[in-house]
Amino acid sequence: MINNLFNPSINLRGNLDPKSYAHIDNLQRLCLEHDRTTLKLELDYKLSRSEGKSGNLKAINEFMYYDDDLLIGYIGISDFGGEAIEVNGMVHPDYRKKGVFKTLFSFVKDEWSKRRTASMLLLSDRNSLAGQAFIQSISGAQHEHTEYEMFLQNDTKQELNSCEVVLRKATSNDIKEIARQNSIYFDKEAQEEDVLIPEEEERAGMIIYMAEIDNRAIGKVHLDISSNVGGIYGLGVLPENRRKGYGRGILASAIHELKQRNFKDIMLQVNVKNENALDLYHSCGFEVASTMDYYELKK
């Protein structure tokens, strides 16, 4: 155990550069091996979005604590549009209980106070004792929801030919429809200006697909191809089209698309209260790998 910091410093950035990415990724690997828990840092997605952009502090998303040249603590803000930002982070095992995370979080709160987002979601693996304890120590933090991270373990070879659903890449012309569907699926009012532009998202490795039948939108799904794990997010079917097998069709098409891109590992996240979705994903060969708790802090 290291008792003292030799040369501590704080590094705040608007976006990731390759050097910062490497430092954070190395720390993440160390923490995952030590703790056997899950983090949701979105590093590959963030690095993809940062390409071609200069680092600036107008909107700070990366909070790094160094001791000399060693990164000992990190918190990242993920902003996917909408009413909340997501916050997740970690501390080097040898530097815990020294106030590292508390110090970084004070910078995060200061940055949040400058933004129009009404709430902050604090993420912690259910099995992370340190993460859960820290969140419990924050006044006003209330459990908002819990998600399972699920990985495709048993490929059930879903039959694509029997499904009428067609996936079409979304464009900026679909923003209004995406906002409408987000409001339905997430039970929160979504504004068009909060929807990330599909063409920009694709360049960052997140492809939004509209699910259609006879050129009519019946749902959507987002595929993350920014890392070595193919991700399925935001899968939804409009209420009037449910219980017709379309959800299974969208999922089968999403899996097929990721396999066409040579992803060997495929994962998704689902709210634990969404029993219908859980049943679907289990029946298609997905199994729970970890549990992530989301706690909301409001201004």
Side-chain angles (χ1 to χ4, degrees):
M1 178 67 69
I2 299 172
N3 293 319
N4 298 301
L5 302 184
F6 298 106
N7 186 24
S9 63
I10 304 292
N11 186 344
L12 308 179
R13 295 185 58 86
N15 48 61
L16 290 181
D17 64 351
K19 181 178 179 181
S20 298
Y21 172 94
H23 288 175
I24 299 167
D25 188 49
N26 287 337
L27 179 57
Q28 176 179 220
R29 293 174 187 274
L30 175 66
C31 290
L32 292 179
E33 181 178 356
H34 181 273
D35 299 327
R36 302 298 180 183
T37 55
T38 300
L39 292 163
K40 189 183 177 187
L41 303 178
E42 311 289 356
L43 297 183
D44 294 289
Y45 173 78
K46 285 184 170 185
L47 183 63
S48 297
R49 287 188 62 84
S50 298
E51 292 180 355
K53 297 181 181 179
S54 59
N56 65 76
L57 300 182
K58 290 183 179 179
I60 303 171
N61 295 298
E62 316 303 332
F63 303 77
M64 293 166 279
Y65 201 128
Y66 282 87
D67 188 21
D68 281 331
D69 294 328
L70 177 66
L71 181 67
I72 62 173
Y74 168 76
I75 297 180
I77 291 178
S78 296
D79 189 347
F80 303 107
E83 301 175 346
I85 57 173
E86 295 186 3
V87 173
N88 198 204
M90 58 194 169
V91 174
H92 190 295
D94 291 340
Y95 288 84
R96 294 175 181 174
K97 297 184 179 180
K98 299 178 183 296
V100 171
F101 203 85
K102 184 177 180 180
T103 298
L104 288 178
F105 189 65
S106 68
F107 285 98
V108 172
K109 287 195 298 181
D110 181 63
E111 169 64 21
W112 177 44
S113 70
K114 302 173 185 176
R115 302 193 184 191
R116 66 180 181 86
T117 47
S119 59
M120 176 195 301
L121 293 175
L122 308 174
L123 282 57
S124 176
D125 186 294
R126 176 68 57 83
N127 293 323
S128 173
L129 298 180
Q132 294 284 344
F134 180 81
I135 292 174
Q136 295 300 325
S137 72
I138 299 174
S139 176
Q142 299 291 326
H143 181 263
E144 205 271 341
H145 74 279
T146 297
E147 286 183 347
Y148 287 141
E149 185 171 87
M150 306 180 75
F151 276 79
L152 184 63
Q153 301 291 349
N154 304 303
D155 189 355
T156 56
K157 305 290 184 184
Q158 300 299 318
E159 184 58 56
L160 291 175
N161 295 331
S162 63
C163 180
E164 309 168 69
V165 177
V166 173
L167 296 187
R168 172 184 62 80
K169 283 186 182 180
T171 70
S172 56
N173 294 327
D174 298 302
I175 287 179
K176 184 175 181 179
E177 176 61 20
I178 293 171
R180 184 179 80 91
Q181 292 196 29
N182 284 343
S183 296
I184 294 171
Y185 304 147
F186 304 116
D187 195 28
K188 292 180 179 179
E189 190 63 31
Q191 305 298 324
E192 290 183 43
E193 57 266 28
D194 293 327
V195 176
L196 299 172
I197 299 173
E199 290 88 348
E200 292 184 1
E201 286 298 279
E202 182 172 357
R203 287 193 288 272
M206 180 72 78
I207 307 176
I208 303 173
Y209 287 94
M210 307 307 297
E212 299 180 334
I213 293 180
D214 297 329
N215 297 316
R216 174 176 57 87
I218 57 95
K220 69 179 181 68
V221 66
H222 302 210
L223 299 187
D224 184 0
I225 60 170
S226 64
S227 69
N228 60 350
V229 177
I232 300 174
Y233 297 93
L235 192 158
V237 178
L238 291 169
E240 62 270 23
N241 295 291
R242 292 172 184 170
R243 297 181 176 84
K244 298 179 181 179
Y246 295 152
R248 184 177 296 274
I250 296 173
L251 181 60
S253 296
I255 293 171
H256 177 75
E257 178 64 30
L258 290 172
K259 288 190 172 183
Q260 288 293 104
R261 295 174 180 271
N262 298 316
F263 283 98
K264 293 182 173 59
D265 294 320
I266 297 175
M267 60 80 67
L268 54 79
Q269 293 169 341
V270 58
N271 192 313
V272 298
K273 293 183 179 180
N274 193 341
E275 296 181 1
N276 290 334
L278 278 171
D279 290 342
L280 170 63
Y281 299 149
H282 279 303
S283 70
C284 290
F286 285 86
E287 296 181 7
V288 175
S290 63
T291 303
M292 186 71 70
D293 289 322
Y294 288 64
Y295 294 84
E296 185 176 41
L297 194 63
K298 295 183 178 180
K299 286 183 177 176

